[in-house]
Amino acid sequence: MTALAIDITPEMEALLRAGAENRCGLCCIPGEVRKSWEALREAERLGYIRFLDITRPWVTDEGRRAVGLPSELEASRAALRAALPKRKPLVPSRDDDPRTDFDYRSYRACGYVCILAVKQPDYRSEPETLRIGRTLKSEPQFLGARNSIILPETEGRFVLALVPHWLARIGGLSTHPLPIDETDLEWSDDERALWDRLRAVCFSVNSRIRTAGRKVQRAKMRYGETA
């Protein structure tokens, strides 16, 4: 139950609630002012109402709060939200790619490419870089804040990252990763599916880097599709 101000009488409460529910904020009709005069005058003294004229007592925000009701502005906002139609879902849905065209132009200017690699076991204490490779047992490479950007799609034992093209070349990191060997028992079916999904993202990111900033571009492909 809503707590009332200690100086609110039942008659005053009824007047204030009537004013809050009235579209114009009027506590009673002109013919009832004389009958409720004492309660109206006390409410005016407490700041709960104001008289627009002798026949029109108007409830204030203090009066609304005294009976546990929202202010006039809050009530108007709630009524507006209820009256507005519900927004329909976007069709097609919003692009899920967290990167903008400006990001891709920046990557192209810096000579970055996207690579997909495997996180290799790392037994160093408190490593500051990430040990990766083409496979679990291939020659390791180390990614850090100075030579790479780890993309948010990175998941599980796989890492999707942006690196300078020269680092990808000398490190043997492919920008077009091959599917996982079906005979390799190291990987589960879920990990194989994840690798295939990240491959598609890797191809898409590299395609957008190559075409970024061009005046004439082909139709933009959906995020995650192969160029």
Side-chain angles (χ1 to χ4, degrees), residues 60-75:
T60 63
D61 284 346
E62 289 78 4
R64 293 170 182 266
R65 285 192 288 267
V67 291
L69 296 176
S71 67
E72 183 180 12
L73 179 60
E74 292 169 340

Side-chain angles (χ1 to χ4, degrees), residues 14-176:
L15 290 168
L16 296 177
R17 289 187 180 278
E21 295 173 0
N22 183 270
R23 185 179 63 178
C24 299
L26 299 180
C27 297
C28 59
I29 61 177
E32 296 178 348
V33 173
R34 177 176 292 185
K35 183 176 66 174
S36 307
W37 182 252
E38 291 185 6
L40 290 171
R41 290 293 293 175
E42 180 63 15
E44 182 186 30
R45 186 185 67 80
L46 296 171
Y48 296 157
I49 71 166
R50 286 206 311 267
F51 279 94
L52 303 180
D53 56 36
I54 196 63
T55 61
R56 293 190 297 169
W58 177 79
V59 64
T60 63
D61 284 346
E62 289 78 4
R64 293 170 182 266
R65 285 192 288 267
V67 291
L69 296 176
S71 67
E72 183 180 12
L73 179 60
E74 292 169 340
S76 298
R77 285 177 176 171
L80 178 61
R81 293 192 192 99
L84 291 175
K86 298 297 182 181
R87 182 176 179 180
K88 297 180 180 179
L90 295 176
V91 180
S93 61
R94 185 174 297 174
D95 196 346
D96 294 329
D97 191 349
R99 292 162 290 274
T100 65
D101 291 336
F102 177 79
D103 292 328
Y104 286 110
R105 290 197 298 269
S106 299
Y107 301 152
R108 187 166 185 260
C110 294
Y112 274 30
V113 293
C114 183
I115 56 101
L116 176 60
V118 177
K119 295 180 182 177
Q120 294 182 343
D122 192 348
Y123 303 104
R124 296 175 296 170
S125 61
E126 300 182 0
E128 297 182 358
T129 56
L130 182 64
R131 176 172 175 154
I132 65 165
R134 289 183 291 104
T135 66
L136 286 172
K137 299 178 181 179
S138 64
E139 186 70 21
Q141 299 293 325
F142 298 91
L143 302 182
R146 296 184 178 181
N147 67 350
S148 65
I149 301 174
I150 306 298
L151 297 184
E153 291 86 350
T154 294
E155 185 177 346
R157 293 199 284 176
F158 307 129
V159 58
L160 199 66
L162 295 169
V163 299
H165 63 86
W166 58 265
L167 180 61
R169 186 175 65 254
I170 65 173
L173 303 172
S174 176
T175 58
H176 293 79

